[in-house]
Amino acid sequence: ELLSPYFTFVPVEINGGAQYFDLFTVVAFIDAHHTVSHQLLKSECLSLDARADVIGDSLSEIEAAHRILKDNGIGARDISKVRTIQLASMLFQTQKDQVGKWKSQGIISEKEMEELLHLIKHGLDHWEELMKKQVLSSEEVSPLSKATFRTLVRLLPGR
């Protein structure tokens, strides 16, 4: 089973609460552009001109995303919420990967692997519920954003 952080919704209000967007998605977008740019700097898979064009386009996208964040007063405090979610997601995935390695090395049996994966999934489910409750109880999130969040959560497939 794939453990994914993409259930996440970090609502950020703009225009006085009239609109919102998901900060998690924007931060992931910026991270992806940084990653591709850094990999292209080290790679020789494309011509130098093609790499320069792609990196230039990525930098433009990063700058535009940063402008949106800055123009809407979104700073380190808000982004740290996303980083916390990313870190927790990575920790759950690392646990899952380690259990798979133990199984392939013969350290644990199939039954033990299933039990451990069940515990990891239970921990992830519990964490997801806490994150959802945090959004819904936040004083910083408008009733409109909370209603939208509730709708989105109901539309997500169960794990």
Side-chain angles (χ1 to χ4, degrees):
E1 177 178 352
L2 178 66
L3 300 180
S4 172
Y6 298 109
F7 76 91
T8 308
F9 180 74
V10 181
V12 176
E13 296 177 7
I14 57 176
N15 298 330
Q19 295 178 313
Y20 67 91
F21 65 89
D22 178 20
L23 183 57
F24 187 90
T25 301
V26 174
V27 171
F29 174 84
I30 291 170
D31 289 347
H33 277 282
H34 277 292
T35 299
V36 168
S37 295
H38 286 287
Q39 288 182 352
L40 283 175
L41 285 172
K42 297 183 253 179
S43 174
E44 294 183 13
C45 64
L46 300 172
S47 70
L48 185 58
D49 288 342
R51 284 185 285 154
D53 288 345
V54 172
I55 291 169
D57 289 344
S58 273
L59 292 178
S60 295
E61 294 292 338
I62 291 168
E63 287 175 19
H66 279 265
R67 241 186 339 277
I68 289 170
L69 297 178
K70 184 178 178 185
D71 291 349
N72 288 287
I74 297 159
R77 183 173 176 264
D78 297 303
I79 292 171
S80 70
K81 292 176 189 176
V82 173
R83 295 296 183 209
T84 300
I85 291 167
Q86 288 175 325
L87 177 60
S89 298
M90 288 185 337
L91 291 173
F92 282 115
Q93 186 62 47
T94 298
Q95 289 176 327
K96 182 180 172 276
D97 293 344
Q98 185 61 50
V99 168
K101 286 179 189 174
W102 288 340
K103 172 63 175 93
S104 68
Q105 294 170 346
I107 296 171
I108 60 174
S109 68
E110 183 77 25
K111 185 175 193 267
E112 290 169 320
M113 180 184 78
E114 289 174 13
E115 289 172 0
L116 289 170
L117 290 176
H118 176 75
L119 290 172
I120 293 168
K121 183 178 180 327
H122 177 74
L124 178 64
D125 291 345
H126 179 70
W127 173 72
E128 285 179 357
E129 287 305 313
L130 288 174
M131 295 304 296
K132 291 171 190 174
K133 287 178 185 174
Q134 186 177 29
V135 169
L136 293 173
S137 66
S138 174
E139 305 260 333
E140 299 172 9
V141 179
S142 75
L144 177 61
S145 289
K146 288 179 185 180
T148 302
F149 176 72
R150 283 188 191 98
T151 302
L152 289 172
V153 168
R154 279 194 295 272
L155 293 174
L156 293 174
R159 289 189 184 264

